[in-house]
Amino acid sequence: KTLWTMDELKGVLREETGGLKEGKEYRERKNGRVAMACAVLIPGLGQMYNEKPLKAAIALGLESYYLSQIAMNRRMREREKIIRDSFPPKSSPWKYHDGWVTEYWERSVDWIWWSGAVVLAVVIDAYVDAKLDDMRFKVEASASQGNVGVSLLVRY
């Protein structure tokens, strides 16, 4: 004996998923932990898990930019070390290039911190998107007896 007819089951699923329209399929809720793990492994993968390709492209682009800045500053530091070491130690040109060695090192450390901040923001965004995946908003305007109002319905 069946507990529900197919139409009753569709109605229950529609109600549980926040009132999906006819023709839409039921889908499982997103898992915030999975989204976070994906975002940590590969920048933008958590956003792809949440079906947000634009956010994924932005996350991947930002993290790629920061990583390229880290690599560039480290490469420039190594070049300045080679130039610095071609001069006698503590000479004026040696000190000049040693200043640049220090500067490129400090820049790469700054880029590492900024990169960490971007990764943290991307991970938090993936988690929040996964948790709010099934949230539905409905805004309606209403007018009665000379009064105008707005109602907001949030289904979670």
Side-chain angles (χ1 to χ4, degrees), residues 87-155:
F87 295 104
K90 306 298 180 191
S91 66
S92 180
W94 187 93
K95 289 179 182 179
Y96 173 78
H97 290 288
D98 188 55
W100 279 108
V101 168
T102 304
E103 175 67 22
Y104 285 126
W105 173 253
E106 290 173 359
R107 286 182 186 183
S108 67
V109 169
D110 289 345
W111 285 110
I112 289 169
W113 279 105
W114 283 108
S115 176
V118 167
V119 168
L120 181 63
V122 166
V123 168
I124 290 171
D125 175 69
Y127 179 79
V128 170
D129 270 352
K131 285 297 188 182
L132 298 180
D133 180 55
D134 60 346
M135 184 174 271
R136 304 286 182 257
F137 294 96
K138 184 176 181 182
V139 179
E140 292 180 348
S142 61
S144 64
Q145 300 176 1
N147 295 327
V148 178
V150 175
S151 65
L152 173 66
L153 174 66
V154 178
R155 297 196 59 150

Side-chain angles (χ1 to χ4, degrees), residues 69-83:
Q69 291 299 313
I70 294 166
M72 182 190 69
N73 280 290
R74 291 201 173 203
R75 192 171 49 246
M76 294 299 286
R77 178 176 183 251
E78 293 305 315
R79 287 181 184 169
E80 285 295 327
K81 273 183 172 180
I82 292 169
I83 295 169

Side-chain angles (χ1 to χ4, degrees), residues 27-36 38-39 44-53 56 126 130 133:
R27 60 188 183 134
E28 289 186 30
R29 294 178 71 179
K30 302 289 184 190
N31 186 330
R33 291 181 183 165
V34 171
M36 285 175 51
C38 290
L45 188 59
Q47 283 70 22
M48 288 302 291
Y49 170 78
N50 290 328
E51 300 172 15
K52 308 279 185 175
D133 180 55

